[in-house]
Amino acid sequence: RLADDAQVSLASGDVDPTIWTSLKRELLDARDSPAATLPDVERSKAIWEYCIQLSVKKTALRKQLLQCCMVLLSGPNGVAALRAVSDKRRMGIWKIPSSGGGPSGVDMLLTMTRDCGIALDELLDPVEEVLKSVTFVSVLQARFCEFPEQARSCAVGVALSNAETGVGEREKRKLPTAPRPAKGIAPLQECADLADVYAEKYPSCRKKA
């Protein structure tokens, strides 16, 4: 019945938040046997669409919506319904708060890609907006090895890889520190070597012949 209410709400052109409490209770009650409890694909799709639109309208509910979406992902009808949903990036998974316990946005992302076969590029876009969510990105980066290899080639994955490479290159370009002699002046060869390093780093300072 609540799936039908969600369809009616969507058909009206707006999301009716008054059915959310009942819908949440029904979905959470379905956790033990989602395959038998969740509605058919078409009605499950309506629930997905309702949850997505509600998360855009009521951002404070995103954490609760995530818990319900994880229930949808645990049943075959819910998975098939998500595949049929258009413009999945509207979920804004990177905006879901990581605090408060329970599954995180990265948990949901991992389930969608590893278990449901949905490409990360469908979920994490636009890339520049995703990368602004520092907490989400740091958790994603720490757990990226858990994602399928093909998923890691997404635009966000490439950006993270480039960032790591950039850091590595900057480390390599750091000038070596000349050892400080215990007494007296540094050996001539060490001074010459250090001068060569600076000349290579700053060619404009190279002594002209």
Side-chain angles (χ1 to χ4, degrees), residues 24-195:
K24 178 180 70 172
R25 186 184 306 114
E26 186 172 285
L27 284 172
L28 294 180
D29 287 345
R31 282 179 292 189
D32 294 333
S33 55
T37 311
L38 292 176
D40 59 36
V41 173
E42 193 60 32
R43 287 184 172 83
S44 292
K45 182 182 176 184
I47 295 175
W48 270 114
E49 191 61 44
Y50 174 86
C51 288
I52 292 171
Q53 292 192 27
L54 186 62
S55 73
V56 174
K57 185 174 183 177
K58 301 284 186 180
T59 57
L61 296 177
R62 279 187 172 134
K63 188 71 175 182
Q64 299 177 48
L65 285 159
L66 180 146
Q67 295 175 326
C68 292
C69 289
M70 292 296 282
V71 176
L72 286 168
L73 289 170
S74 61
N77 287 347
V79 172
L82 176 61
R83 291 192 183 118
V85 170
S86 61
D87 200 10
K88 300 175 183 63
R89 64 181 180 171
R90 290 175 298 152
M91 284 185 273
I93 294 175
W94 61 92
K95 299 177 183 178
I96 298 173
S98 57
S99 59
S104 67
V106 174
D107 290 320
M108 183 175 177
L109 201 64
L110 183 59
T111 300
M112 288 180 170
T113 54
R114 186 181 61 191
D115 302 338
C116 306
I118 296 173
L120 283 176
D121 282 329
E122 292 186 65
L123 303 164
L124 300 180
D125 188 59
V127 176
E128 58 272 17
E129 290 300 318
V130 177
L131 296 178
K132 289 178 184 177
S133 299
V134 178
T135 302
F136 173 83
V137 169
S138 63
V139 175
L140 177 63
Q141 197 165 19
R143 299 184 58 187
F144 217 40
C145 59
E146 300 176 42
F147 286 77
E149 186 175 352
Q150 64 272 23
R152 297 200 295 269
S153 62
C154 69
V156 168
V158 171
L160 294 178
S161 178
N162 289 343
E164 289 179 352
T165 302
V167 170
E169 290 301 315
R170 286 195 297 273
E171 291 296 325
K172 291 176 184 177
R173 289 197 295 269
K174 283 184 178 179
L175 293 175
T177 303
R180 178 176 295 178
K183 293 181 181 180
I185 302 174
L188 290 177
Q189 186 57 49
E190 290 179 1
C191 291
D193 291 343
L194 190 58

